[in-house]
């Protein structure tokens, strides 16, 4: 019996071993299957299969960012924050449309951009307008008298003046109407830091040195500004990336720009900037202030404007402006075309006003740089702009479709014989009228005034700055990841010879 039981017990043990061997073999095979699968191509996850996926992430130009309710939020409403209507929708196109709508709704003005402004010495701003401070004051009492800005072509690049006035008045108790930006006096509460240096005026008025001084006032101010900014805790905290610097005239800030490149520049174009110093990702393109008179109560239709195509300005230009002389020879003998030399001198502004108001289409051709004030003069005249400038960047183009009221022509096509004039002649009266009506709808977006009004040029620029805030914060937060483990936050400016490498490092 004992032998039998013993045999039976051994038999069971062998069966158990066989069973365990088979199980372990199967597990081994499957484990290798998963290992091999994991080393293959990445598997896509369908986020729509998660009931709360829309609370986990949103998409910003293809970049997925986490949403943590405990994260510090910018004071501007996040333009990518979806509404309750979109959160229940499974239709991707509807959700995308709502996102675009939210981007455009930055103009809602319910929450203003918070701006900390340095109290720079008056020599950097209103002192350049011959304003004399009294009793150690930094700013003029603009409720009593506003210092005048010089006229003529100086006005084209006067955005520094209008933005500063807007900030100074943002806290006035009697300030009525919507505001896109409000001044705060604690930099830790601010979305951005504003540098009130009237750089365009400094260039226009003070760029020539006077004996016995070897350096111009403009150069000295830029040198002082760099030293001041790099000593400030606000600059050290962010490496300057949340600072807003005005350099609207193409030749303004020529000496300082290479040292202040991490900051957000407000520019007219990128024509005289290397792309790693200024680019559409971090900087803002602002309109010129138009010089010619706005066409008020414009009822002139297609048949009331006898000139088909209008251009008056400098014809012989350097750099990209060669196309002007090419077009002059192609168009000067065409019927219903006005193409002539002109300037602000000798009643030039009055002449251009009359000419643009009487024209159906107005040429905006690249000059020394890709942009010119002529575009904004045309908009104020409700003269449909014809833009021939391949490298041009346009204000607010992330929320505004310029093809609705402008004609764009590549330079290579424009200089072909008869191409441009045939294109313009083939645009129908109905199409021109549609664009003319659109120009009258959007002209207010380019008006500079004090006090600012809802969605005028001043407020549109602040809104464009606000749309950069989430990207600035993303880069700052990434740059601070290892600040507690020995890696210091960017705090100083390095020489340009070394800064190219640092720039690539900072562009996370």
């Amino acid at each position: 019996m004992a032998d039998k039981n013993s045999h039976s017990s051994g038999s069971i043990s062998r069966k158990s071993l066989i069973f365990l061997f088979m199980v372990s073999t199967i597990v081994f095979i499957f484990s290798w299957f998963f290992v091999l699968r994991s080393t293959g191509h990445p598997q896509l996850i369908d986020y729509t299969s998660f009931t709360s996926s829309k609370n986990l992430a949103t998409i910003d130009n293809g970049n997925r960012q986490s949403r943590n309710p405990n994260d510090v939020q910018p004071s501007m409403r996040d333009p990518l924050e979806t509404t309750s209507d979109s959160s229940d929708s499974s239709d991707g196109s509807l959700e995308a449309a709502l996102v675009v709508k939210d981007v455009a709704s930055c103009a809602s003005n319910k929450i203003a951009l918070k701006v900390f402004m340095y109290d720079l010495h008056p020599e950097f701003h209103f002192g350049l307008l011959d304003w004399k401070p009294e009793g150690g004051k930094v700013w003029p009492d603009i409720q009593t008298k506003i210092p005048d800005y010089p006229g003529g072509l100086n006005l084209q690049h006067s955005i520094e003046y209008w933005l500063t006035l807007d900030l100074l008045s943002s806290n006035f108790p009697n300030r009525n109407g919507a505001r896109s930006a409000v001044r705060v006096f604690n930099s830790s509460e601010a979305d951005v830091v504003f540098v009130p240096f009237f750089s365009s005026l400094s260039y226009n008025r003070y760029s020539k040195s006077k004996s016995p001084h070897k350096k111009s006032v403009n150069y000295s101010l830029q040198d002082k500004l760099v030293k001041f900014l790099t000593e400030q805790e606000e600059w050290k905290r962010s490496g300057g990336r949340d600072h807003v610097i005005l350099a609207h005239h193409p030749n303004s800030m020529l000496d300082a720009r290479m040292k202040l490149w991490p900051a957000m520049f407000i520019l007219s174009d990128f024509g005289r900037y290397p792309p790693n110093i200024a680019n559409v990702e971090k900087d803002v393109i602002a309109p010129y202030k138009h010089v010619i008179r706005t066409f008020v109560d414009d009822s002139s239709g297609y048949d009331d404007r006898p000139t088909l195509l209008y251009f008056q300005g400098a014809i012989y230009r350097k750099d990209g402006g060669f196309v002007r002389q090419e077009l002059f020879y192609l168009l000067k003998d065409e019927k219903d075309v006005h193409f002539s030399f002109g300037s602000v001198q000798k009643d030039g502004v009055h002449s251009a006003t009359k000419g643009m108001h009487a024209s159906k289409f107005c040429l905006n051709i690249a000059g020394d740089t890709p942009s010119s004030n002529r575009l904004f003069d045309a908009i104020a005249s409700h003269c449909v702009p014809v833009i021939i400038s391949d490298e041009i960047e346009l204000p607010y183009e992330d929320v505004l479709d310029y093809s609705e009221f402008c004609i764009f022509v590549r330079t290579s096509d424009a200089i072909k014989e008869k191409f441009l004039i045939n294109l313009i002649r083939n645009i129908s009266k109905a199409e021109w009228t549609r664009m003319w009506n659109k120009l009258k709808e959007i002209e207010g977006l380019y008006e500079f005034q004090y006090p600012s009004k809802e969605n005028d040029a001043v407020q549109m620029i602040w809104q464009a700055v606000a749309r950069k805030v989430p990207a600035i914060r993303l880069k700052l937060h990434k740059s601070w990841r290892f600040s507690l483990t020995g890696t210091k936050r960017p705090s100083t400016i390095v020489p340009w010879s070394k800064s190219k490498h640092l720039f690539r490092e900072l562009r996370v």
Side-chain angles (χ1 to χ4, degrees):
M1 289 291 293
D3 290 341
K4 187 175 180 180
N5 289 337
S6 180
H7 175 75
S8 176
S9 176
S11 176
I12 291 172
S13 296
R14 284 194 295 272
K15 288 179 180 179
S16 298
L17 288 171
I18 293 170
F19 175 77
L20 290 172
F21 175 78
M22 291 177 64
V23 170
S24 63
T25 302
I26 292 171
V27 170
F28 177 81
I29 292 171
F30 270 91
S31 66
W32 268 104
F33 170 76
F34 284 110
V35 168
L36 290 171
R37 188 173 187 269
S38 69
T39 60
H41 295 294
Q43 305 297 312
L44 296 178
I45 299 174
D46 182 7
Y47 282 93
T48 59
S49 64
F50 297 100
T51 56
S52 60
S53 63
K54 290 185 177 62
N55 295 323
L56 295 173
T58 57
I59 292 182
D60 178 8
N61 296 328
N63 297 320
R64 193 172 292 276
Q65 301 176 17
S66 65
R67 287 280 179 194
N68 185 337
N70 296 320
D71 288 343
V72 176
Q73 298 295 322
S75 61
M76 282 297 297
R77 180 182 176 207
D78 186 348
L80 294 172
E81 184 181 359
T82 54
T83 64
S84 58
D85 294 334
S86 65
S87 63
D88 296 328
S89 171
S90 59
D91 184 352
S93 61
L94 174 60
E95 187 170 340
L98 288 169
V99 168
V100 171
K101 182 180 178 182
D102 273 354
V103 170
S105 72
C106 279
S108 65
N109 295 309
K110 291 180 180 177
I111 303 177
L113 179 76
K114 293 181 180 178
V115 183
F116 175 78
M117 180 166 65
Y118 288 121
D119 284 324
L120 288 179
H121 189 279
E123 66 178 337
F124 288 99
H125 42 81
F126 288 100
L128 294 170
L129 295 171
D130 300 323
W131 172 72
K132 305 297 182 184
E134 297 178 0
K137 291 182 179 179
V138 172
W139 303 106
D141 180 3
I142 60 174
Q143 295 189 87
T144 303
K145 180 173 173 31
I146 302 171
D148 294 326
Y149 199 91
L153 290 179
N154 289 289
L155 282 172
Q156 296 181 99
H157 303 292
S158 59
I159 68 166
E160 52 208 22
Y161 175 74
W162 306 105
L163 291 176
T164 303
L165 287 176
D166 194 59
L167 280 184
L168 289 174
S169 66
S170 65
N171 302 112
F172 288 172
N174 58 347
R175 172 76 185 263
N176 297 320
R179 280 173 283 184
S180 292
V182 62
R183 186 184 182 190
V184 297
F185 296 90
N186 185 338
S187 63
S188 64
E189 300 174 1
D191 296 312
V192 292
V193 178
F194 184 76
V195 181
F197 174 39
F198 290 5
S199 60
S200 295
L201 185 63
S202 178
Y203 170 77
N204 280 330
R205 278 192 157 189
Y206 303 103
S207 57
K208 294 182 180 179
S209 59
K210 295 181 180 180
S211 182
H213 304 289
K214 294 182 179 179
K215 295 181 179 179
S216 69
V217 171
N218 180 48
Y219 179 90
S220 297
L221 286 175
Q222 291 180 61
D223 188 49
K224 287 182 182 179
L225 183 68
V226 170
K227 290 178 181 177
F228 170 83
L229 289 177
T230 54
E231 291 172 356
Q232 304 309 304
E233 287 303 316
E234 289 81 8
W235 183 278
K236 294 176 182 179
R237 185 171 61 226
S238 68
R241 278 186 281 188
D242 58 355
H243 283 51
V244 177
I245 295 176
L246 303 167
H248 199 256
H249 192 291
N251 291 327
S252 62
M253 299 294 288
L254 276 176
D255 302 295
R257 64 178 64 170
M258 295 297 188
K259 301 172 184 177
L260 300 177
W261 53 261
M264 181 195 307
F265 292 130
I266 300 186
L267 310 169
S268 57
D269 59 44
F270 299 123
R272 292 184 179 164
Y273 284 79
N276 53 349
I277 297 298
N279 54 74
V280 73
E281 178 186 352
K282 77 176 184 71
D283 302 309
V284 169
I285 296 297
Y288 293 62
K289 186 184 189 308
H290 63 82
V291 176
I292 72 166
R293 189 176 67 251
T294 302
F295 200 161
V296 180
D297 299 326
D298 176 16
S299 59
S300 63
Y302 185 88
D303 298 323
D304 300 315
R305 293 177 174 241
T307 303
L308 176 68
L309 186 61
Y310 183 90
F311 177 88
Q312 183 168 299
I315 293 174
Y316 300 98
R317 308 301 290 179
K318 56 188 176 182
D319 300 328
F322 78 93
V323 67
R324 291 191 182 186
Q325 64 190 71
E326 296 283 338
L327 288 172
F328 171 71
Y329 292 113
L330 287 172
L331 298 172
K332 64 184 179 68
D333 296 324
E334 290 287 344
K335 181 183 177 182
D336 301 335
V337 173
H338 176 93
F339 200 117
S340 70
F341 176 83
S343 71
V344 72
Q345 308 296 327
K346 297 181 180 179
D347 205 32
V349 173
H350 178 69
S351 172
T353 299
K354 288 178 62 178
M356 286 187 164
H357 287 191
S359 301
K360 298 177 178 69
F361 298 92
C362 288
L363 280 169
N364 180 73
I365 315 168
D368 294 345
T369 63
S371 68
S372 81
N373 193 32
R374 203 162 280 100
L375 169 61
F376 308 101
D377 285 342
I379 291 173
S381 303
H382 314 144
C383 179
V384 175
V386 179
I387 299 175
I388 304 172
S389 181
D390 297 346
E391 303 298 325
I392 196 169
E393 296 289 349
L394 298 164
Y396 342 127
E397 197 169 10
D398 53 339
V399 295
L400 191 63
D401 182 2
Y402 278 77
S403 67
E404 292 185 348
F405 53 91
C406 295
I407 306 296
F408 290 85
V409 184
R410 292 185 181 88
T411 300
S412 58
D413 290 330
I415 59 177
K416 294 175 183 175
E417 191 166 0
K418 296 292 183 181
F419 181 93
L420 181 61
I421 192 64
N422 288 339
L423 174 70
I424 299 303
R425 293 195 190 282
N426 285 327
I427 295 174
S428 68
K429 178 178 178 178
E431 179 64 8
W432 180 89
T433 302
R434 183 193 64 76
M435 289 189 283
W436 174 71
N437 282 321
K438 188 67 178 178
L439 285 168
K440 292 193 290 183
E441 289 178 19
I442 56 89
E443 65 176 339
L445 304 180
Y446 305 93
E447 292 294 338
F448 289 89
Q449 55 204 333
Y450 175 78
S452 66
K453 296 181 180 178
E454 185 172 4
N455 294 337
D456 67 0
V458 174
Q459 297 203 17
M460 287 294 288
I461 292 171
W462 286 130
Q463 291 165 30
V465 171
R467 292 194 291 274
K468 302 287 186 182
V469 170
I472 291 171
R473 294 201 173 188
L474 174 64
K475 289 184 177 182
L476 287 176
H477 294 168
K478 283 189 172 185
S479 71
W480 294 342
R481 286 176 177 177
F482 302 104
S483 59
L484 296 180
T485 59
T487 302
K488 293 182 180 180
R489 298 181 183 184
S491 60
T492 58
I493 289 181
V494 297
W496 171 240
S497 58
K498 299 180 181 178
S499 65
K500 287 183 282 189
H501 304 293
L502 180 59
F503 184 87
R504 297 190 192 101
E505 197 174 298
L506 289 175
R507 289 187 66 191
V508 180

